[in-house]
Amino acid sequence: MSVDVRKTANKLAGEAGIAIRDMHNAEDARRWVRFADTIWQGNSHIDTPMVVALAHAGNYVTGAFIEDELVGILLGFWHEPASKSLHSHIAAVRADLT
C-alpha cells in the first residue's frame, strides 16, 4: 500500500477518533480472530496461526481501535503484480458503530 494512501487513511480515521494499528504478533492475532469470530458467530474460517503467517509475510493485518478497544478489523493480501495490488479479504466493524 502506498505510504500516501496509508497516511491519508490514518489521518481520516484519527479525525473520527479511531486509530488504525498493525496487528502482527501472536496476541494481536488471537485478539483479531476473537473479534472476527464474534462478528461471524464463530464461523470466520480463519485461525490465529494463519493471521500471524499472513502478517509476517508482509500482508495487511490491522485493527481499528477507539482507545484500546478493538472495534474493527481488516485483512488484505498482496497479489500480482507483486506488492502493487492488495486484495481486501476480510473487513468488519462492530455493528453498533455503523
Side-chain angles (χ1 to χ4, degrees):
M1 176 181 301
S2 86
V3 174
D4 291 336
V5 171
R6 186 180 281 243
K7 189 185 283 186
T8 299
N10 286 335
K11 178 182 179 291
L12 293 171
E15 290 172 3
I18 296 169
I20 306 299
R21 300 181 197 150
D22 291 334
M23 299 186 76
H24 287 184
N25 64 43
E27 181 52 38
D28 287 343
R30 281 189 288 277
R31 192 172 181 188
W32 193 102
V33 169
R34 280 193 307 268
F35 186 91
D37 282 342
T38 298
I39 297 293
W40 285 285
Q41 300 162 349
N43 294 313
S44 64
H45 302 291
I46 191 162
D47 62 12
T48 299
M50 179 60 74
V51 172
V52 171
L54 286 165
H56 285 194
N59 294 289
Y60 192 73
V61 180
T62 62
F65 292 83
I66 296 177
E67 297 181 6
D68 285 328
E69 183 180 1
L70 182 61
V71 297
I73 56 173
L74 186 114
L75 184 145
F77 53 86
W78 298 107
H79 61 88
E80 293 298 326
S83 297
K84 295 188 183 204
S85 299
L86 184 68
H87 169 75
S88 177
H89 185 64
I90 297 174
V93 176
R94 219 177 58 201
D96 62 308
L97 297 175
T98 59

